[in-house]
Amino acid sequence: MILAVRDHRDRAAFARLFEHFAPRIKGFLINSGADPSMAEECAQDVMTTLWHKAAQFDPSRASVAAWIFTIARNRRIDMLRKQRRPEPEDLTWGPEPEPDQADVVALQQETNNLAKALKSLPKVQRDLIEKAYFGDLTQSEIAKITGLPLGTIKSRIRLALDRLRHAMKQ
């Protein structure tokens, strides 16, 4: 059925896949600690991903079930990360004390060093870092936007962060 969806965008085959896998995905997510509403939302998202990314399914690399449950696991991780983002602290009212001039100079220097380090990255890595850290996108969201596999996104971001870390130590 996945091949019919992949090769012919067969809606009936997709409906059968949905009927088979959606409840199992929801159960899997609930058993792994997700609340029922999050599990339902995640299962819907996984099945939507299956429809849109069916062309990426390769039966020589994994079974349909393994591929779908890997998508479900990764989607749950993404949802948990979004939930765990810290809330901004309460804003205090009134003027803040002036920062120490040495701290201001050190911060400016560090900011300049970071800007130089970012510019020295290959364009592909720099774009991903900007999307992840300045655009506040998850790696999965970046993969959807760019059309690149999630593993490629993760590898390129990790390599870029290693380069930035090394450049900032100098």
Side-chain angles (χ1 to χ4, degrees):
M1 287 183 276
I2 189 70
L3 297 178
V5 173
R6 182 187 75 182
D7 299 338
H8 306 291
R9 307 297 283 169
D10 185 325
R11 291 175 186 262
F14 177 74
R16 287 191 301 276
L17 283 171
F18 192 97
E19 288 172 11
H20 179 79
F21 281 106
R24 287 167 175 78
I25 293 168
K26 183 177 177 183
F28 165 75
L29 294 169
I30 289 172
N31 288 337
S32 65
D35 64 73
S37 65
M38 179 188 187
E40 178 72 30
E41 180 183 344
C42 194
Q44 294 285 330
D45 193 40
V46 168
M47 296 309 293
T48 301
T49 300
L50 181 143
W51 175 258
H52 292 293
K53 301 283 183 169
Q56 294 179 0
F57 174 69
D58 181 358
S60 69
R61 294 183 65 200
S63 70
V64 174
W67 185 65
I68 291 172
F69 280 94
T70 299
I71 293 169
R73 181 187 142 281
N74 292 340
R75 196 57 40 94
R76 179 167 185 270
I77 290 168
D78 291 342
M79 290 179 132
L80 287 172
R81 284 182 181 152
K82 282 184 178 179
Q83 284 181 343
R84 291 185 182 150
R85 285 189 180 159
E87 293 294 322
E89 294 180 20
D90 290 335
L91 297 175
T92 57
W93 294 99
E96 292 189 18
E98 288 293 318
D100 182 43
Q101 194 61 28
D103 291 341
V104 171
V105 170
L107 183 59
Q108 286 174 336
Q109 186 174 8
E110 193 171 302
T111 301
N112 291 338
N113 290 344
L114 179 59
K116 288 178 189 173
L118 279 168
K119 286 181 182 177
S120 72
L121 289 176
K123 182 173 178 8
V124 173
Q125 289 179 353
R126 185 174 59 244
D127 289 344
L128 293 177
I129 290 293
E130 288 172 352
K131 283 177 175 56
Y133 291 94
F134 302 127
D136 201 28
L137 298 173
T138 66
Q139 292 175 343
S140 292
E141 290 168 336
I142 295 169
K144 284 181 185 177
I145 290 168
T146 62
L148 294 170
L150 183 59
T152 301
I153 299 296
K154 290 180 178 188
S155 296
R156 288 181 181 172
I157 288 176
R158 187 182 66 251
L159 290 171
L161 290 175
D162 286 343
R163 286 183 175 182
L164 288 174
R165 211 173 287 120
H166 178 72
M168 293 300 288
K169 286 181 183 178
Q170 295 179 347

